[in-house]
Amino acid sequence: MKNLLLTIQYDGSNYHGWQVQQNALSVQEVFQNAVEKVFGKRLDVIGCSRTDTGVHANMYCLTLKTDMNISDDGVILALNSKLPNDISVIGCREVPDDFHPRYSCKSKEYIYKIYNGKIRNPFYAKYALHYKYAIDADYLNKECKAFIGTQDFSGFCSAKSDVEDCVRTVKSCEVWREGDMVYFKVEADGFLYNMVRIMVGTLLFIAEGKIKEGELSQIIKSKNRRSAGKTASPQGLYLNKINY
């Protein structure tokens, strides 16, 4: 029995996140359907993370176990022939039997895209947040460093979450501009439900002056969700990298 680690990419626009749901289409359900067609049985597919409705993945990792004698390249080609165009397998390799795509992960990296043009661009509607007011990316890059470190991020977690331990270690984060696109990138050992989207919403509050310079550290320490910014919309969020 081989334990295969698959790396995929997907456009999350048409899906209600990764996780299988009863009344909504998910990436995991579509992927399991493709796996069943290739391997002849409905194998257990284990993902590295949950993602919200409309969120995309530049790199998502999952495992499945099979006794079928098929090469790594064969797995990639076979699955891609059964998957829709908005999901693609880009890598496959065998890993130890005890490898787990979630618990073996050392850190994850997300990118959030903000289209900062005055007029909305319809081609970015599903792939970036449109924010028409001026953003000083250098200023936000300086302010966002308050996120770095091991801290209790209770104030940056959705009320829907039932997680008790909200301590996470943010290893790095930065904001930069490329033309009309502003990017926020953050790496941490783990993320709470809606954490990155709330981080982005808080940075936009800073850009608007609703949160003053240097106040972010105190907002984090307050552990009060109401002190942070709004939850930014999902379409600008990308799971960018999984580090093992």
Side-chain angles (χ1 to χ4, degrees):
M1 186 71 70
K2 296 191 294 184
N3 189 23
L4 298 180
L5 173 64
L6 304 180
T7 303
I8 70 172
Q9 294 178 323
Y10 61 81
D11 176 344
S13 302
N14 296 321
Y15 304 103
H16 288 256
W18 161 260
Q19 194 89 356
V20 167
Q21 300 181 36
Q22 281 190 335
N23 301 311
L25 186 66
S26 69
V27 178
Q28 185 179 25
E29 179 183 346
V30 171
F31 198 86
Q32 284 182 317
N33 291 341
V35 167
E36 186 172 10
K37 292 175 182 177
V38 170
F39 293 91
K41 59 182 73 174
R42 200 162 185 83
L43 301 177
D44 190 19
V45 173
I46 302 173
C48 65
S49 178
R50 294 184 178 184
T51 57
D52 294 340
T53 299
V55 172
H56 315 292
N58 294 325
M59 178 182 182
Y60 188 95
C61 295
L62 58 94
T63 56
L64 60 84
K65 293 185 177 181
T66 179
D67 54 8
M68 181 181 288
N69 185 19
I70 182 172
S71 68
D72 294 346
D73 287 343
V75 171
I76 295 171
L77 292 172
L79 285 174
N80 282 338
S81 72
K82 305 300 181 183
L83 287 166
N85 291 335
D86 52 8
I87 304 174
S88 181
V89 182
I90 59 173
C92 175
R93 63 184 174 92
E94 188 172 356
V95 291
D97 188 64
D98 61 352
F99 180 92
H100 193 286
R102 179 180 176 187
Y103 301 120
S104 299
C105 173
K106 294 180 179 178
S107 68
K108 297 173 185 175
E109 180 181 279
Y110 280 89
I111 283 181
Y112 194 96
K113 297 180 181 181
I114 302 171
Y115 177 63
N116 195 212
K118 290 183 178 180
I119 301 173
R120 61 184 175 86
N121 186 324
F123 296 106
Y124 291 146
K126 297 179 180 179
Y127 307 108
L129 169 67
H130 178 224
Y131 186 84
K132 65 182 180 180
Y133 305 104
I135 293 176
D136 185 340
D138 291 335
Y139 175 55
L140 293 188
N141 183 54
K142 177 173 68 71
E143 289 294 295
C144 79
K145 304 308 180 190
F147 288 130
I148 296 175
T150 302
Q151 305 181 79
D152 188 327
F153 285 96
S154 298
F156 290 79
C157 181
S158 169
K160 297 180 181 179
S161 175
D162 57 0
V163 175
E164 294 183 4
D165 182 9
C166 293
V167 175
R168 298 291 185 273
T169 299
V170 173
K171 299 186 176 185
S172 65
C173 61
E174 60 180 317
V175 178
W176 74 95
R177 174 184 291 278
E178 294 179 12
D180 284 333
M181 196 70 75
V182 174
Y183 299 86
F184 172 61
K185 182 169 70 175
V186 58
E187 179 189 357
D189 61 354
F191 291 90
L192 303 170
Y193 183 44
N194 284 345
M195 181 172 163
V196 180
R197 291 167 59 189
I198 297 170
M199 285 176 157
V200 172
T202 303
L203 289 175
L204 291 178
F205 268 25
I206 293 173
E208 295 167 7
K210 294 178 180 177
I211 296 174
K212 304 301 181 185
E213 183 176 0
E215 287 185 347
L216 183 52
S217 291
Q218 292 304 313
I219 289 173
I220 297 170
K221 290 176 183 177
S222 77
K223 296 182 276 189
N224 185 346
R225 175 65 189 91
R226 294 182 179 180
S227 298
K230 294 181 179 180
T231 304
S233 56
Q235 70 268 21
L237 184 60
Y238 298 74
L239 178 55
N240 192 55
K241 190 176 182 181
I242 309 295
N243 296 307
Y244 291 109

